[in-house]
Amino acid sequence: MRPRLVLFGDSITEMSFQSGGWGAALTDRFARQADVVLRGLSGYNTRWALKVLPRAMEGAADADPAAITVFFGANDASLPDQVSAHQNVPLEEYQSNLRAICGYFKERWPSTAIILITPPPIYEPARIRLCRDIHGVDDPSRQAERTNEAAGSYAQACISVAKELGHPVIDIWTKMQEFPDWQTSALSDGLHFTPTGNQILFHEVVKTLASIGFSQESLPSDLPRYREIDPKDPMKAFEV
């Protein structure tokens, strides 16, 4: 059986199999070596994810997956006094929920590596424009429903939980802001990823997977490759 990677998160995970997405790139990279299983829940925060966790994981894997990414926080960090207030989860509860989610996976799949991913940075002007387009309110003083400062606080909280539990963590909030013009080159609407943003996360995931021994170089290919088949005796390659 091929090893499995399970991707669990919000819309940035759900959209990761779109053209240019980081999940699709993982599937391409590990073709013939591993299966990538998508469990993305657009709009969800850690409170809702924890509530549906057993149902969300139905059919994800019979045996322990090699690794699972847990990528929540962008919605938890929504401001409690703005239009997305119903998605907000207080910081301490966010951390508690992450611990519970990780605990569920560790109990269900003891040998699975759990990789936490922080919420990404936020470009507030783009979020304000999006809210204006959706709600039809052209108010120059309007505040974004998410801020980069709040996302940074949740990113640090995620890192803290990962260190506490001994799990690898990808600080995409910090990493993405190292790139020139990240506000528009990496983010399509101030939150979700462009192909460039997807590539940034993809490379960080690949690097983190390699650090736990999961890489193209270390994984065997499933079934004989074409170049391994002898033209003079093709069937010999399929002998077990």
Side-chain angles (χ1 to χ4, degrees):
M1 181 182 296
R2 296 184 188 183
R4 287 191 175 190
L5 301 176
V6 179
L7 312 183
F8 185 45
D10 52 34
S11 58
I12 302 174
T13 298
E14 182 174 328
M15 298 164 66
S16 71
F17 272 40
Q18 293 181 353
S19 178
W22 63 278
L26 287 171
T27 300
D28 178 61
R29 184 176 186 84
F30 295 110
R32 298 282 294 275
Q33 293 180 302
D35 292 328
V36 182
V37 180
L38 180 63
R39 290 294 185 272
L41 303 169
S42 180
Y44 275 51
N45 54 34
T46 54
R47 183 187 297 157
W48 303 347
L50 183 59
K51 181 69 174 178
V52 303
L53 190 48
R55 280 187 289 163
M57 290 300 127
E58 288 179 2
D62 295 325
D64 292 14
I68 183 166
T69 58
V70 177
F71 189 6
F72 287 98
N75 298 314
D76 301 68
S78 298
L79 299 182
D81 58 351
Q82 296 297 319
V83 294
S84 296
H86 62 292
Q87 292 175 296
N88 172 261
V89 172
L91 198 60
E92 289 188 4
E93 183 191 344
Y94 169 66
Q95 290 185 296
S96 177
N97 292 340
L98 283 180
R99 292 187 191 99
I101 291 169
C102 292
Y104 173 88
F105 290 134
K106 188 52 64 177
E107 181 177 351
R108 178 168 177 171
W109 297 315
S111 66
T112 298
I114 300 169
I115 301 171
L116 295 177
I117 305 176
T118 73
I122 299 295
Y123 181 47
E124 293 153 38
R127 298 309 298 171
I128 293 173
R129 289 194 296 271
L130 182 67
C131 286
R132 180 193 63 200
D133 294 342
I134 292 174
H135 299 286
V137 178
D138 191 6
D139 181 359
S141 65
R142 187 180 184 90
Q143 185 179 6
E145 92 290 8
R146 292 168 171 82
T147 66
N148 199 36
E149 181 181 4
S153 296
Y154 281 73
Q156 289 304 311
C158 178
I159 293 169
S160 177
V161 170
K163 289 181 177 178
E164 172 193 326
L165 299 178
H167 297 318
V169 61
I170 296 171
D171 182 6
I172 198 63
W173 185 84
T174 297
K175 187 65 180 181
M176 191 167 280
Q177 293 182 79
E178 296 174 358
F179 287 79
D181 302 319
W182 63 268
Q183 299 93 331
T184 52
S185 65
L187 301 177
S188 62
D189 59 1
L191 168 62
H192 299 98
F193 295 176
T194 63
T196 297
N198 276 285
Q199 278 295 303
I200 294 171
L201 180 55
F202 164 70
H203 288 299
E204 291 303 303
V205 173
V206 168
K207 184 167 62 175
T208 304
L209 287 171
S211 74
I212 61 171
F214 191 99
S215 67
Q216 269 187 330
E217 295 73 24
S218 65
L219 293 171
S221 287
D222 188 17
L223 303 177
R225 292 187 175 274
Y226 176 73
R227 65 176 179 269
E228 298 168 344
I229 299 173
D230 184 353
K232 297 179 180 178
D233 188 6
M235 300 308 294
K236 184 176 182 179
F238 307 109
E239 295 177 359
V240 178

